[in-house]
Amino acid sequence: MSNKKSNPTIGPVEFSVVDESMQVSIGRLQTNANTLLLGLGLLVLLATPAVFSGYFVGLLVVAFIYGIFAISVDLVWGYAGILSFGHAAFFGLGAYLMGVITTELSLPSIGLLGLVLAFLVPAVVGLVVAGVLFSRGISEEYFTIITLALAIVASQAALILSDVTGGSNGLTEIPPLGVEIPGVMTYIISHNQYYFVVLVALVAVFLIGKRIVQSPFGTTLVGINENETKISSLGYNPIKYKTIVFGLSTGIAGFAGALYAAYSGFISPPLLGFVLSTEVLVWVLVGGRGTLIGPVIGATALYLAENMFSGMFLNTWVLMLGLLLVVIVLVFPAGIIGVFSIIEKKINKYLKDT
Amino acid sequence: MTTVEPDPNTPQTQSSADSELLRTEELTRRFGSLVAVDDVNISIPRGEFHSIIGPNGAGKTTLFNMLAGTLPESDGRILFDGEEITGLSDHQRVQRGISRAYQTPQLFSGLSVLENLRLAVQSKNQSFNPIKKTDSAHEQEAIEMLEQIEFEAAPGQITENLSHGNKKKLEILMALSVDPDLLLLDEPTSGVSQADSDSLMEFISAASAERTVLLIEHNVDLVLEYSDRVTVLNRGAVISQGTPSYITQDETVQKAYMGSY
């Protein structure tokens, strides 16, 4: 059984100083500062479309969708300690469900149904996969390898089942999201408005994620990650917890995939595959595993950087990304958020000393 | 098959079946050709403070592992509160009322003292609702658990940096927090100073007044002081069983201990 893998913080309040009264006040300060920071960030993001070009806003839309995807991975990897190397299979499953449903069925408001199904179906698939594997007593290493195989199988299946998926050409002309009540109204969400839809979805998923990791259920997940034997000795069945969080996570990944399909209008087999599965792990790691907000920052920063610099550096971009990953793992194992908290501690220490 | 002379001085409390809490029948654990626990039959009445002693390698911890469900039984049966629990997993046994404190404290090192205890308290009312808020009653119960014992660390402190003594205390508190009928304690005082050992045993004795305790302990003085009855294991087998005064006079026990040194 694995013991300690990481130390995810349960909430924004983390005690480390000895004097108790001091701890509480610093904790409150930090919580307020964090809330303030998040609020400010949100204001900036709300104003962004008015200031920046449509191209940049478009990049942000995809970055935020990947942010939701990264949160889904952080829930299983950062908190429960389950490493999935095939999460794109669920992201892609959501995207294809959305694509197939909205192009094949011409029902009013079909996109909204697509979003719901893109959560439910991958969630059920995830529950079944994790439930079967964990209850057979499979080790976490083998679970990781099987998820890797899952991504490969999924992208191959999308190639082969070309009648439904369009094969290597993918699916095109996926309609944008809209609300339609026949005879009353038809409202198609424009690309610029979609920015706000995705922003709301990202904030909602983040807040739900926060709520999950702060719940007794979430504390149990952290316990499983730290010491699964002990969790069992306290009367918890780790298999149930791991299965439920995996299903939740794959559901969120599918939901993100559906948001992507409705935005880009085009999806193809790589969305299900190994490369995206790996990329999302890099985003989570660079941003800071087990923090929820870190993976969003990681996804946004790296996706934007890729689009801005890959033109400038061409092939060397991938090389730079690889080097960045090595540096992060060696020097800043807690990621961007880890760097922030080091700075925060320094400031707190300075405030305490003066 | 080893036959053990019964202690003639022990009042046979376990004779009435409904007062018996734990019973093992021919419980055996083999590792390859090694028989770590050999045909052990013990019967523990409800409310008893029962210790298991024996030289190193006698099979004490292996016996615990089978009772707690972390190690499958090779042979034999375990009955708890009149029902067979052989083959049940460890978490199922906790739900039945058996909990265990490890010799090496098994804490969640990244979580605070209070969060560790809350996890233990919460296991009685588990919720699979991932967005349920923390029950303040559970938080309160964890705080009250902590107040029972002298603890030189803030409740919010991360357990990674606790002293060994505090870790041992927290380990025991967590095992108590699941409110067990049977508490398995594996060397609660190992690595703890003599003064602390005494106060720790006082606490264990008081906190488990309503419970049944099975204790593994190297400190024979503590065993003799607190136990109602003692079982002596040697090479996996029970060689003696009875009250502390009976055990101290049993020649088989003396021989086994002398032989191992």
Side-chain angles (χ1 to χ4, degrees):
Chain A
M1 271 316 125
S2 56
N3 266 342
K4 199 186 127 205
K5 283 177 208 151
S6 69
N7 293 332
T9 51
I10 278 286
V13 187
E14 191 184 350
F15 303 109
S16 52
V17 209
V18 182
D19 179 46
E20 204 184 332
S21 58
M22 194 64 176
Q23 282 174 5
V24 176
S25 60
I26 287 182
R28 291 237 173 87
L29 266 179
Q30 277 177 339
T31 314
N32 288 340
N34 284 342
T35 316
L36 196 71
L37 216 63
L38 281 177
L40 274 176
L42 212 55
L43 275 180
V44 170
L45 290 177
L46 282 172
T48 299
V51 181
F52 288 95
S53 69
Y55 170 72
F56 183 74
V57 173
L59 287 183
L60 275 183
V61 170
V62 179
F64 291 168
I65 291 171
Y66 283 156
I68 297 174
F69 184 30
I71 288 176
S72 81
V73 171
D74 198 31
L75 276 176
V76 288
W77 191 30
Y79 290 89
I82 306 163
L83 176 57
S84 165
F85 247 105
H87 244 53
F90 301 99
F91 180 87
L93 179 59
Y96 270 94
L97 275 170
M98 186 72 163
V100 171
I101 288 172
T102 52
T103 51
E104 296 291 325
L105 304 173
S106 50
L107 292 171
S109 301
I110 186 72
L112 298 180
L113 179 68
L115 278 180
V116 173
L117 286 178
F119 173 81
L120 289 179
V121 176
V124 170
V125 174
L127 281 174
V128 171
V129 168
V132 168
L133 291 178
F134 287 134
S135 60
R136 293 184 69 92
I138 197 162
S139 76
E140 275 166 23
E141 290 77 7
Y142 278 99
F143 183 83
T144 301
I145 291 169
I146 288 171
T147 54
L148 174 65
L150 211 62
I152 295 166
V153 168
S155 54
Q156 288 302 312
L159 281 173
I160 294 163
L161 303 170
S162 53
D163 287 348
V164 187
T165 63
S168 59
N169 295 327
L171 282 181
T172 52
E173 291 172 34
I174 298 165
L177 211 55
V179 184
E180 188 187 352
I181 304 165
V184 183
M185 61 171 283
T186 304
Y187 187 81
I188 306 292
I189 298 166
S190 75
H191 258 196
N192 277 340
Q193 290 162 339
Y194 202 69
Y195 172 86
F196 295 103
V197 172
V198 169
L199 187 59
V200 167
L202 174 65
V203 171
V205 169
F206 172 76
L207 291 177
I208 292 169
K210 217 49 193 170
R211 181 79 185 255
I212 293 172
V213 302
Q214 287 172 351
S215 72
F217 177 86
T219 319
T220 311
L221 293 180
V222 176
I224 290 170
N225 182 20
E226 293 222 349
N227 193 335
E228 194 166 329
T229 312
K230 176 68 171 194
I231 274 289
S232 284
S233 301
L234 292 177
Y236 294 98
N237 182 355
I239 294 167
K240 281 191 186 168
Y241 286 85
K242 291 200 285 189
T243 302
I244 291 171
V245 75
F246 196 78
L248 261 173
S249 163
T250 53
I252 295 171
F255 172 73
L259 285 176
Y260 180 90
Y263 178 71
S264 84
F266 164 71
I267 53 175
S268 60
L271 275 187
L272 294 142
F274 168 65
V275 176
L276 184 60
S277 294
T278 317
E279 267 182 308
V280 68
L281 295 178
V282 175
W283 299 333
V284 172
L285 205 61
V286 167
R289 184 153 86 93
T291 61
L292 289 185
I293 190 72
V296 176
I297 295 172
T300 310
L302 287 183
Y303 182 74
L304 291 181
E306 184 182 336
N307 277 279
M308 289 171 180
F309 300 137
S310 63
M312 227 181 282
F313 299 104
L314 293 174
N315 291 336
T316 47
W317 164 248
V318 180
L319 182 73
M320 287 163 61
L321 193 65
L323 285 175
L324 176 72
L325 184 63
V326 173
V327 170
I328 293 268
V329 169
L330 289 178
V331 187
F332 307 110
I336 295 172
I337 287 295
V339 176
F340 281 161
S341 62
I342 291 171
I343 296 169
E344 197 181 2
K345 274 190 190 131
K346 288 239 161 87
I347 293 174
N348 277 331
K349 191 172 180 295
Y350 176 78
L351 288 176
K352 218 178 108 185
D353 290 346
T354 52
Chain B
M1 186 72 90
T2 35
T3 44
V4 181
E5 292 281 318
D7 169 12
N9 302 322
T10 312
Q12 294 293 309
T13 41
Q14 66 268 42
S15 57
S16 86
D18 56 2
S19 75
E20 182 185 67
L21 185 66
L22 178 76
R23 178 187 193 84
T24 69
E25 292 175 357
E26 293 163 17
L27 192 59
T28 302
R29 174 66 205 194
R30 284 180 287 269
F31 296 103
S33 61
L34 173 79
V35 187
V37 170
D38 190 2
D39 211 3
V40 166
N41 298 290
I42 43 178
S43 167
I44 317 258
R46 197 178 278 279
E48 185 168 271
F49 198 114
H50 192 111
S51 292
I52 297 178
I53 61 170
N56 286 326
K60 304 183 294 286
T61 298
T62 306
L63 175 64
F64 258 34
N65 286 339
M66 281 192 287
L67 294 177
T70 49
L71 192 68
E73 307 84 357
S74 300
D75 257 318
R77 305 202 304 157
I78 304 171
L79 289 104
F80 182 73
D81 209 6
E83 286 174 42
E84 178 155 2
I85 58 164
T86 325
L88 289 187
S89 64
D90 48 357
H91 53 82
Q92 287 169 321
R93 295 187 198 198
V94 181
Q95 298 299 340
R96 299 279 183 109
I98 301 178
S99 103
R100 179 244 188 109
Y102 289 87
Q103 183 182 355
T104 313
Q106 300 283 316
L107 307 176
F108 306 109
S109 54
L111 298 182
S112 73
V113 172
L114 205 57
E115 282 166 338
N116 269 270
L117 270 177
R118 188 158 56 74
L119 256 176
V121 169
Q122 275 166 194
S123 87
K124 284 174 291 178
N125 314 72
Q126 286 182 44
S127 167
F128 294 105
N129 175 1
I131 54 170
K132 186 173 177 277
K133 279 196 169 164
T134 298
D135 194 333
S136 58
H138 290 159
E139 186 89 17
Q140 192 53 40
E141 202 180 327
I143 291 169
E144 280 163 15
M145 283 302 296
L146 199 58
E147 283 167 353
Q148 291 178 28
I149 199 165
E150 206 178 310
F151 207 79
E152 303 92 12
Q157 187 170 334
I158 301 295
T159 59
E160 194 173 15
N161 309 318
L162 290 182
S163 68
H164 178 73
N166 277 339
K167 282 184 179 169
K168 293 289 277 194
K169 285 180 192 169
L170 188 54
E171 174 76 22
I172 293 162
L173 282 180
M174 285 171 84
L176 277 168
S177 294
V178 304
D179 196 17
D181 294 322
L182 174 64
L183 183 61
L184 305 175
L185 295 171
D186 195 346
E187 302 213 21
T189 69
S190 72
V192 178
S193 72
Q194 185 61 49
D196 281 354
S197 292
D198 291 334
S199 65
L200 197 55
M201 283 304 292
E202 272 310 315
F203 168 72
I204 290 168
S205 172
S208 54
E210 307 284 304
R211 308 175 207 277
T212 310
V213 176
L214 203 52
L215 170 80
I216 295 178
E217 181 56 61
H218 263 126
N219 187 332
V220 177
D221 291 339
L222 290 178
V223 166
L224 298 179
E225 185 182 343
Y226 286 96
S227 307
D228 297 319
R229 284 196 310 148
V230 180
T231 293
V232 187
L233 281 184
N234 191 27
R235 297 175 193 208
V238 177
I239 58 164
S240 184
Q241 200 171 62
T243 58
S245 57
Y246 172 79
I247 292 294
T248 44
Q249 285 154 22
D250 189 342
E251 277 176 33
T252 343
V253 177
Q254 287 164 1
K255 242 186 268 173
Y257 266 87
M258 299 302 245
S260 75
Y261 288 109

